[in-house]
Amino acid sequence: MKKFRPILALAVVAIAIYACSTVPLTGRSQLSLVSDDQINPAAAQSYRQLLSDPSTKVINTGTDAQRVKRIGSQLATAIDGYLKANGYAGQYNYQWEFNLIQSKEINAWCMPGGKVAVYSGLLPVTQTDAGLATVMGHEIGHAIAHHSAEALSQQMAVQAGGAAVGAATGNKSQTTQAIIGTLYGVGGQLATLKYSRDKENEADRLGLTFMAMAGYDPRQAVSFWQRMAAQNQGAPPEFLSTHPSDATRIANIQKLIPEAMKYYKGK
């Protein structure tokens, strides 16, 4: 086995070099061993399972549900337009869905492929349309940056190099379904997907820009994250968390606002 290790190492290096993609707006290169065609169907299936689960109560009527869908549609239209104008349209085939779920959790997420869920417990914190656009834009930023696919790609590369990559991508349905189920807690208690601090910062940058493109003032994001900070009293220190501390996040967002304002034309 030892004599094959150099070959395996070279295979992993080759994968890292040639299996790369670029994140829109930020321009960051990332490892990409799975495509949207592989991961999005699994995400859509998990999303349908979640919405149809008897323990999940989807709110389909009322002002709040309409707000989630309206703001989501505005964000999706702006994002699709940006991707098309900047040569990324062929890399994305998102079938957007936006649903409000009754839950006390202060949470929201966006699965690969544009499947978005907002929990009703978040709405008292978002308060305004701009606040809701802030958090929805951030979660969509994770999806546009392919953070889930990147995490899956890194796991595949680490676990078995080129041989396992071939096996995993060959059995794309079971592999991606399993990873999506694990990441989002589908099939059990709903969970928040944890990203690294770098990925959180990237999602903040994308989210600010997306909300600005959709006509929401990115400067209002600061107020939202300040309200979130008030909810996070007693949270672990930054070095014990995958997420940046509230103070660090707010400071970073303030630095990113001038860039986002270039896309803001108001309403």
Side-chain angles (χ1 to χ4, degrees):
M1 179 65 184
K2 290 183 179 179
K3 66 180 180 180
F4 291 109
R5 288 178 181 172
I7 298 175
L8 182 59
L10 288 173
V12 173
V13 171
I15 290 169
I17 292 174
Y18 293 106
C20 290
S21 61
T22 302
V23 178
L25 187 71
T26 71
R28 181 178 65 86
S29 295
Q30 61 185 170
L31 184 64
S32 180
L33 300 178
V34 290
S35 67
D36 281 356
D37 289 341
Q38 292 171 299
I39 198 169
N40 288 1
Q45 181 179 346
S46 292
Y47 191 71
R48 288 192 296 270
Q49 289 174 348
L50 183 148
L51 296 183
S52 62
D53 190 296
S55 65
T56 302
K57 184 175 181 180
V58 180
I59 303 175
N60 292 312
T61 59
T63 302
D64 289 337
Q66 293 174 359
R67 285 180 65 219
V68 168
K69 293 185 183 297
R70 171 174 53 82
I71 294 171
S73 178
Q74 291 168 339
L75 286 166
T77 298
I79 292 166
D80 287 343
Y82 173 83
L83 294 174
K84 182 178 180 180
N86 288 274
Y88 287 99
Q91 301 178 32
Y92 293 84
N93 184 25
Y94 279 19
Q95 304 299 315
W96 298 96
E97 292 186 53
F98 303 91
N99 281 288
L100 178 64
I101 295 176
Q102 182 171 310
S103 172
K104 294 180 180 180
E105 290 187 54
I106 302 174
N107 195 13
W109 42 259
C110 177
M111 283 185 174
K115 307 303 183 184
V116 179
V118 175
Y119 295 175
S120 58
L122 179 68
L123 299 183
V125 185
T126 60
Q127 295 184 3
T128 66
D129 284 2
L132 188 52
T134 298
V135 68
M136 291 177 72
H138 169 86
E139 296 302 331
I140 290 171
H142 282 302
I144 294 297
H146 288 139
H147 286 162
S148 295
E150 186 175 5
L152 174 57
S153 297
Q154 291 168 345
Q155 288 184 28
M156 291 163 62
V158 169
Q159 286 174 356
V165 167
T169 55
N171 191 12
K172 62 183 180 181
S173 179
Q174 292 183 7
T175 302
T176 53
Q177 185 70 43
I179 195 71
I180 291 296
T182 300
L183 291 174
Y184 291 91
V186 175
Q189 183 177 3
L190 300 182
T192 302
L193 178 57
K194 300 296 185 183
Y195 293 108
S196 70
R197 278 173 273 182
D198 287 344
K199 301 300 187 298
E200 285 294 316
N201 291 336
E202 186 169 58
D204 281 339
R205 181 179 176 184
L206 290 168
L208 285 171
T209 302
F210 293 158
M211 69 180 290
M213 290 176 180
Y216 295 97
D217 188 345
R219 292 170 294 192
Q220 297 300 314
V222 174
S223 298
F224 166 75
W225 287 113
Q226 287 172 338
R227 292 193 294 271
M228 280 293 289
Q231 297 288 327
N232 291 337
Q233 298 297 325
E238 181 174 358
F239 70 90
L240 293 178
S241 174
T242 57
H243 286 55
S245 70
D246 294 313
T248 298
R249 165 165 268 151
I250 291 169
N252 288 338
I253 284 174
Q254 289 172 328
K255 293 176 183 177
L256 293 170
I257 286 175
E259 177 187 50
M261 287 297 294
K262 297 176 183 178
Y263 297 89
Y264 177 58
K265 296 180 174 60
K267 286 193 173 182

